[in-house]
Amino acid sequence: LLGVPALYRMILENDRLDRYDLGSLKYCYCGGDVLPEEVKQRWRERCGISIYQVYGSTEVGHVSYSKIGLEPSPRSIGFPLKSRECRVMDPETLLPVTGEKSGELWVTSPHTIKHYYNKPEETAKTYLTLDEKTWCRMGDFVRREPSGELIYVERSADIIKHKGYRVSASEVEAILQDHPTVIGACVVGIPDPSVGERIKAIVV
């Protein structure tokens, strides 16, 4: 079964779910967004199998997959495919981050496009040449575990600058959504002259 997080949540919350035998399911994959931990745990309890993660984009295709038989870490987007080279970079200095710090994911491969057709400005924002290779700036913040597994932190557009810190809106959303009374949550940054941005949550 291939699906986005919303699909898995809809299946789990369907009031006729108990009428169906899901015993034939062997492998479940999720892409398009980060899978909330509570959905992953409920799925495992209901179906007895893990949901594996897939990550990619139109520009570079599939980038990473979870390993079969290995339980994905929380917020994991898997391990890079052998056909893709990944770097975690500081978006301001354009240098690699050290240790397990988060940074922007850059991807290159001989098999991927290196520019947008007739869009030089967008190409300049997305593609950079480094070490004689053309890298695609994914616009996603990740960190790399010692095992090589990539952990999703945030879409760069959704980073909230609060008191000099980079706060991940989706991490705050994930914590809120773990509460049993919360159906959904959205977190945004509100301009504030004293702290840069205040963190505001909208909760159902």
Side-chain angles (χ1 to χ4, degrees), residues 16 53 74 78 82 90 101 104 119 124-125 130-131 144 150 152 161 164 166 195:
R16 294 184 294 174
Q53 285 292 135
K82 291 183 179 179
D90 186 311
K101 294 178 182 177
E104 185 180 27
K119 293 187 176 180
K125 291 178 183 177
L130 183 68
D131 298 334
R144 193 192 300 262
L150 297 175
Y152 185 85
K161 299 290 184 67
R166 289 189 184 124
V195 294

Side-chain angles (χ1 to χ4, degrees), residues 18 27 66 83 105 118 149 156 160-161 171 178 187 198:
D18 290 339
Y27 302 103
S66 297
S83 60
L105 179 62
N118 282 343
E149 188 176 24
S156 59
I160 300 169
K161 299 290 184 67
E171 283 188 322
D178 279 343
V187 173
R198 285 187 297 113

Side-chain angles (χ1 to χ4, degrees), residues 108-142:
T108 190
S109 168
H111 316 292
T112 59
I113 63 172
K114 304 298 185 286
H115 62 88
Y116 294 117
Y117 181 68
N118 282 343
K119 293 187 176 180
E121 291 183 5
E122 288 189 27
T123 296
K125 291 178 183 177
T126 305
Y127 292 94
L128 283 174
T129 300
L130 183 68
D131 298 334
E132 299 181 352
K133 296 178 183 178
T134 301
W135 298 80
C136 180
R137 300 180 67 169
M138 302 302 292
D140 288 320
F141 276 74
V142 302

